Amino acid sequence: MKKYFILKGVEGNLLKYTVALVTHKRLFVAILGAYYLTIPDVTPWWVGTILFASTLSGFLFEIPSGYIADKIGHKKALVVSSVSLVLSTSFFLLAESIPFLFLGGILLSIGFAFISGTGTAFVHETLRALGRESEFREIMGKMKSIGFAIPIILTTLIPFLVSISWHLPFAIALVSDLMGLIAVCSLVTPPVPQEHIDEIRLSNFKQVMHEAYKINFFRYAIFSGILAGILFGVGGFRAVYQSTLGIPVVWFGVLFGIGRGIASLLLWHSGRIQRLFKTPTQIYTVKLVVFTFLIIVLGLTQNVWGIAVIFIFINAFEWGSSNIGYSVEATGKSKFKATLLSVKSQIQMLVGGGSAFLLGYLIEIIGYQKSFLVLALILVCLLTPLLYMIAKDKKRIGVGGEDSGSGE
């Protein structure tokens, strides 16, 4: 009887964490770049610098946060994440000068650092306790899909709220963040075997990294991290670029919402899409080709609404493919999934900050279009050698098998 109630409580984690995924979406992201420009003395260079500082802080916390999460427990780490997001939104809401934007961005990155990898590991543990580990990809895909779908309405409406006040979207987001904090605090820690606890307690960080090297995890983490980081840099200038093109701010949420809507549909079917690929190499090749093509088109087209459509597709495919990949499969049977998955996120933070800073610098010198073309060239040069290394990993045949169950 006792076990029944434990599992019943654990099963509730799926709904609670779905609520957390909904509230963790930054409802104001569609206007954030434009909002920066409303603060005195902020220029595109400052936008890039703020993004760089934010992602640098996320980079510094990323792997330690995953390691801490594995040590202290994934639920506690998720609570730390939610508190950081509440504080971040508060600083954006109260922003009157550049330092407020820095604090908001830094706390935002810290919040995401403590949830990246940790949330995936927590859901994985929950399903393992329920005997449903084999359903991970389908369940996680649907949870992420809901996490994108529900906020779309508010995201679409937020730019219209700007006509009332630039601060109103952040006030709504703060209420949402507080709801997410409540949901996370009510999560039930899944029961794990004693040997699992002992292994985590006795292992040190060096041993975990050595394990990652032995299973060839780093090539997958670096590829995914670089790709996600460069897409972060591009997305960071979406609102700023659209503003300079004369697209009304009230359209930002609509355009962003369309992209998130497509992403939600892709996530819902991510398990089915994953099965279309036979090897990890096929997955990463398609991702590299698709995103390189989109960034190149972004740098070549001069049509205002054509540029808006390209940003929609980048937004849609970036998040819609987030559950399609091989990162968790590459961790194998490791007990330190949150730590290993944080490696990819840390690389993403570093590359994201660097690409945002580089874009901000290049835009001031050669303009938006040429800057995007330079970034596309960098993307191909960095990821092609890694794609070759992934193709050589003969120990991992296919994307299914007993270790399958999650995405990027």
Side-chain angles (χ1 to χ4, degrees):
M1 183 65 69
K2 183 178 180 181
K3 182 178 180 181
Y4 169 78
F5 281 109
I6 290 176
L7 291 182
K8 183 178 180 181
V10 170
E11 191 167 31
N13 286 344
L14 301 179
L15 175 60
K16 294 171 186 176
Y17 189 68
T18 301
V19 172
L21 285 176
V22 172
T23 61
H24 285 160
K25 298 298 177 292
R26 303 297 84 195
L27 301 175
F28 48 76
V29 70
I31 62 163
L32 189 57
Y35 176 66
Y36 285 165
L37 296 177
T38 68
I39 305 302
D41 301 323
V42 174
T43 64
W45 182 86
W46 273 113
V47 173
T49 304
I50 293 168
L51 289 173
F52 175 74
S54 302
T55 52
L56 178 61
S57 63
F59 167 78
L60 295 175
F61 275 92
E62 189 59 55
I63 291 182
S65 69
Y67 187 68
I68 291 170
D70 283 326
K71 287 287 189 178
I72 69 173
H74 297 150
K75 176 186 173 179
K76 292 179 181 178
L78 292 175
V79 171
V80 172
S81 170
S82 293
V83 171
S84 297
L85 294 179
V86 168
L87 293 175
S88 168
T89 304
S90 299
F91 275 111
F92 283 134
L93 176 63
L94 300 172
E96 296 178 347
S97 60
I98 292 175
F100 281 81
L101 299 180
F102 274 102
L103 288 171
I106 289 171
L107 284 166
L108 178 61
S109 293
I110 292 174
F112 283 144
F114 271 92
I115 195 175
S116 66
T118 304
T120 299
F122 183 82
V123 175
H124 194 269
E125 285 181 352
T126 295
L127 292 174
R128 178 182 294 168
L130 296 170
R132 302 174 63 186
E133 189 175 0
S134 63
E135 302 174 55
F136 188 96
R137 187 177 299 281
E138 281 72 18
I139 291 175
M140 195 67 182
K142 288 178 171 56
M143 290 170 67
K144 286 185 175 182
S145 175
I146 295 171
F148 276 104
I150 293 180
I152 287 176
I153 298 176
L154 275 176
T155 303
T156 303
L157 291 176
I158 276 178
F160 294 94
L161 299 177
V162 169
S163 61
I164 301 174
S165 170
W166 276 97
H167 292 94
L168 189 55
F170 296 94
I172 295 173
L174 182 59
V175 174
S176 174
D177 285 343
L178 291 172
M179 293 173 60
L181 178 59
I182 294 172
V184 167
C185 287
S186 67
L187 291 170
V188 176
T189 302
V192 295
Q194 184 61 41
E195 58 268 22
H196 182 112
I197 298 173
D198 292 339
E199 182 178 343
I200 290 177
R201 180 172 57 84
L202 295 174
S203 300
N204 58 44
F205 184 76
K206 183 178 179 180
Q207 290 172 318
V208 176
M209 292 298 101
H210 180 66
E211 177 188 10
Y213 175 78
K214 286 177 62 178
I215 62 177
N216 293 335
F217 174 75
F218 288 119
R219 64 191 65 183
Y220 300 94
I222 295 173
F223 185 101
S224 299
I226 290 176
L227 178 60
I230 288 181
L231 292 176
F232 171 86
V234 173
F237 284 88
R238 176 178 49 242
V240 181
Y241 190 23
Q242 290 178 160
S243 269
T244 62
L245 293 173
I247 298 177
V249 175
V250 293
W251 279 100
F252 287 10
V254 175
L255 298 173
F256 188 79
I258 293 172
R260 287 300 174 93
I262 298 172
S264 179
L265 290 173
L266 291 173
L267 283 168
W268 188 268
H269 297 286
S270 59
R272 186 178 303 172
I273 295 172
Q274 176 86 10
R275 289 191 290 272
L276 296 176
F277 299 98
K278 303 301 181 184
T279 65
T281 307
Q282 292 179 2
I283 295 175
Y284 292 119
T285 299
V286 170
K287 285 192 172 188
L288 175 58
V289 171
V290 168
F291 287 114
T292 301
F293 172 77
L294 289 173
I295 296 174
I296 289 175
V297 174
L298 188 63
L300 293 177
T301 185
Q302 296 181 348
N303 183 275
V304 173
W305 291 104
I307 291 170
V309 169
I310 294 300
F311 273 122
I312 287 175
F313 282 123
I314 292 176
N315 182 19
F317 295 147
E318 175 186 2
W319 295 104
S321 65
S322 63
N323 200 49
I324 302 170
Y326 201 66
S327 292
V328 169
E329 287 89 342
T331 65
K333 298 291 186 180
S334 175
K335 305 298 188 298
F336 286 85
K337 290 187 183 294
T339 305
L340 297 184
L341 292 173
S342 291
V343 173
K344 185 208 79 171
S345 298
Q346 186 172 49
I347 295 168
Q348 175 182 340
M349 290 286 184
L350 179 64
V351 176
S355 61
F357 183 80
L358 178 63
L359 264 180
Y361 175 75
L362 289 176
I363 287 169
E364 301 238 353
I365 298 176
I366 60 178
Y368 283 94
Q369 289 184 294
K370 291 181 180 178
S371 298
F372 288 129
L373 292 175
V374 170
L375 205 62
L377 178 61
I378 292 173
L379 182 65
V380 172
C381 291
L382 290 177
L383 295 191
T384 301
L386 286 166
L387 191 60
Y388 174 73
M389 293 177 64
I390 290 172
K392 289 183 64 178
D393 189 5
K394 302 300 183 182
K395 291 188 296 182
R396 302 185 182 279
I397 302 172
V399 293
E402 61 181 355
D403 289 335
S404 63
S406 185
E408 293 298 277

